[in-house]
Amino acid sequence: MSLVEVKNVSYGKGRKQIVNDVNFQLEPGKIVALLGENGSGKTTIIRLLAGLALRWQGTITIAQEKVGTKTKAFVALLADINDFPSDFSIEQVVAFYETMYADFDLGKARQLLTFMELGEEEQLKNLSRGNREKLALLLTLSRKAQVYLLDEPLSGIDLLSREKIIQSLVRWFDEESLLVITTHQLSEIENIVDQVLILKDGTIALHADFESVREEEGIGLEELYRQTMLGERR
Ligand SMILES: Nc1ncnc2c1ncn2[C@@H]1O[C@H](COP(=O)(O)OP(=O)(O)OP(=O)(O)O)[C@@H](O)[C@H]1O
């Protein structure tokens, strides 16, 4: 049974059609890379799955539930820490998340804080961009959700921090859940990706099992992406 089902979904803003009759299904236990050029609709798809977009056409269900208020209880969208007062400490932000989300696991948050080398007493205003991203990610992964939606968790982050974030995804990924990640860092995530969903101008250009592609064709994620974008795949 699919965890996420997207059927004939279209979405536009004003006169602009952003997502055009998109169909896909995603199973639990998978890490799915949602890829595409700038403006291809990745963030829009993430917002649709998160129940944040309004007035779209089609059907989106997550765990058999129509996407909306109810699904937000088990869909974890990458946290946005920008709305917290800048003098809040990490500990205060974590405590807020614990009260906000019934599925928040404080023990997991503490483990992740240690892994990310973040001190609970640090104030938000003193965190570097990379450390802010790490905090956002650990808040998200500390929820025991069925679906994790990570929109560009690696952007603007230095190499070693990116590696740390990718390691944390592998280490803390719950095999019963589904993780959808958007990024332009293709080679860096290829070792953790199970499936690839490539968007081109608001439509699905490719939905493939990356393990099979790698085994059968011996190509990496960048080459798969390039071939898809250039229309070189059958
Ligand atoms: N609120 C909005 N009003 C009008 N157009 C919008 C709005 N939000 C997104 N768009 C347009 O929809 C298209 C898809 O945007 P989206 O942010 O989903 O792309 P993306 O694939 O995430 O891009 P990037 O890789 O640059 O983050 C873009 O052309 C964008 O300009």
Side-chain angles (χ1 to χ4, degrees):
M1 183 74 79
S2 299
L3 181 55
V4 170
E5 293 200 5
V6 174
K7 281 189 202 148
N8 307 116
V9 169
S10 296
Y11 175 77
K13 268 271 177 192
R15 286 197 193 149
K16 190 175 165 67
Q17 190 74 357
I18 301 174
V19 169
N20 206 347
D21 197 20
V22 159
N23 291 276
F24 61 86
Q25 299 187 354
L26 303 173
E27 276 80 48
K30 306 282 185 205
I31 296 184
V32 180
L34 177 59
L35 309 176
E37 299 290 276
N38 292 129
S40 57
K42 300 179 297 296
T43 298
T44 306
I45 297 274
I46 293 281
R47 286 177 53 80
L48 285 162
L49 295 177
L52 296 179
L54 300 172
R55 290 187 290 279
W56 40 275
Q57 289 99 51
T59 316
I60 306 176
T61 56
I62 301 183
Q64 279 79 60
E65 195 77 57
K66 187 173 184 291
V67 90
T69 315
K70 273 194 185 167
T71 55
K72 286 182 186 170
F74 49 81
V75 175
L77 178 65
L78 186 59
D80 181 358
I81 58 168
N82 292 322
D83 291 336
F84 286 99
S86 63
D87 61 351
F88 255 42
S89 65
I90 289 181
E91 190 178 17
Q92 284 174 300
V93 176
V94 169
F96 179 84
Y97 260 75
E98 201 196 359
T99 55
M100 269 295 280
Y101 294 103
D103 60 359
F104 194 81
D105 180 344
L106 187 58
K108 193 171 175 185
R110 293 212 167 110
Q111 280 179 31
L112 273 156
L113 280 169
T114 307
F115 182 75
M116 303 281 202
E117 296 167 53
L118 292 175
E120 290 191 43
E121 67 296 335
E122 289 271 8
Q123 288 182 310
L124 294 184
K125 64 183 171 203
N126 296 328
L127 295 181
S128 66
R129 181 165 174 192
N131 280 343
R132 291 175 74 87
E133 293 292 338
K134 285 182 193 163
L135 175 60
L137 185 70
L138 83 85
L139 292 167
T140 314
L141 295 181
S142 297
R143 286 184 59 191
K144 181 127 187 64
Q146 292 194 51
V147 180
Y148 297 88
L149 302 173
L150 307 180
D151 194 8
E152 298 204 30
L154 308 173
S155 68
I157 314 292
D158 65 69
L159 179 73
L160 296 183
S161 297
R162 291 204 299 271
E163 286 179 356
K164 194 101 187 162
I165 286 174
I166 292 166
Q167 280 169 26
S168 72
L169 292 179
V170 180
R171 188 156 159 191
W172 273 275
F173 178 61
D174 172 357
E175 290 292 328
E176 285 165 20
S177 60
L178 165 73
L179 194 152
V180 181
I181 179 170
T182 80
T183 182
H184 296 287
Q185 320 281 343
L186 307 194
S187 57
E188 290 180 18
I189 58 154
E190 72 177 352
N191 288 329
I192 67 164
V193 166
D194 298 305
Q195 284 189 11
V196 191
L197 205 49
I198 300 181
L199 286 176
K200 202 171 176 180
D201 302 328
T203 61
I204 306 283
L206 182 83
H207 184 184
D209 184 298
F210 181 55
E211 276 300 300
S212 315
V213 170
R214 188 151 48 180
E215 271 172 32
E216 289 163 19
E217 303 177 39
I219 59 171
L221 200 48
E222 282 191 355
E223 183 57 23
L224 177 62
Y225 182 80
R226 196 172 287 117
Q227 287 181 3
T228 305
M229 296 313 287
L230 296 176
E232 291 174 357
R233 293 186 70 78
R234 294 144 273 130

